[in-house]
Amino acid sequence: MKHAAVNLALTWVVFLANEHFFRGGLNAYGLQPRNPYGLVGILTAPFLHGSLAHIQANTIAYIFLAGLLCLKNPEEFPYAYWGSALIGGFANWIIGNPAAVGVGASGAIYGLFGYLLSGGFFRPKSWPDLAATGLTATWFFSMAFEMLPGFVPAGVSWEAHLCGFLAGVIVSYKVNEE
């Protein structure tokens, strides 16, 4: 739980510093697909956000999904979040829109979604995994549509959502491998 809370606090500190001291200039260090300089964005994009509404939306989903994962097993959080952020970020770097600079934790949050949703399939005899899968599927079913082109507003990367989700499934599979 501590890692998840520190991660969220750091994200807000970076957002506030970027807004008040850098006037949004740090967003240039977001993920830039197929640009070698844009690779740094795999690490920085989850901490950067384009607006207050953007970070608020990510925070609400993060609190629920990270909280659910930490209730299930807090030791899995760093693997689920950062595994999804890194694998999904690299996949997004490969397939994303090269004209865009991606910022936000959405890819990693979709990674938590994929991780929690698939856990009950990879460990079907684990009651915590089944419960987390059921709750995630019930409360966040609408997230599935935002992984598809045409279902997200302009300027939102469905590629980051899809890559993060698939990365979460992969990380869940690897963590639950027996």
Side-chain angles (χ1 to χ4, degrees):
M1 187 74 95
K2 178 182 167 186
H3 184 85
V6 168
N7 191 59
L8 182 59
L10 184 58
T11 301
W12 273 92
V13 166
V14 170
F15 171 75
L16 293 171
N18 188 27
E19 286 291 302
H20 296 290
F21 300 116
F22 298 99
R23 304 286 185 239
L26 294 180
N27 287 350
Y29 295 100
L31 192 143
Q32 299 171 37
R34 295 190 287 286
N35 178 336
Y37 296 107
L39 284 168
V40 71
I42 293 171
L43 297 174
T44 59
F47 296 106
L48 301 170
H49 288 79
S51 68
L52 182 60
H54 184 202
I55 195 169
Q56 287 173 330
N58 277 348
T59 297
I60 291 167
Y62 177 89
I63 288 171
F64 178 81
L65 293 168
L68 184 58
L69 179 56
C70 287
L71 285 173
K72 183 180 84 76
N73 186 348
E75 293 175 8
E76 293 178 15
F77 176 81
Y79 300 107
Y81 187 84
W82 288 108
S84 297
L86 297 175
I87 295 167
F90 186 69
N92 187 27
W93 183 83
I94 292 170
I95 72 162
N97 178 355
V101 176
V103 295
S106 300
I109 290 168
Y110 271 82
L112 292 176
F113 176 54
Y115 186 92
L116 288 164
L117 192 61
S118 63
F121 295 101
F122 297 133
R123 294 187 64 191
K125 294 180 182 171
S126 163
W127 285 110
D129 281 307
L130 287 171
T133 296
L135 287 171
T136 302
T138 302
W139 289 339
F140 280 88
F141 179 74
S142 64
M143 286 179 70
F145 292 104
E146 292 188 4
M147 294 185 286
L148 303 170
F151 287 92
V152 295
V156 175
S157 173
W158 65 267
E159 299 97 332
H161 296 174
L162 178 62
C163 290
F165 177 82
L166 294 174
V169 172
I170 291 167
V171 173
S172 177
Y173 175 77
K174 293 306 284 178
V175 167
N176 291 303
E177 229 176 14
E178 295 181 278

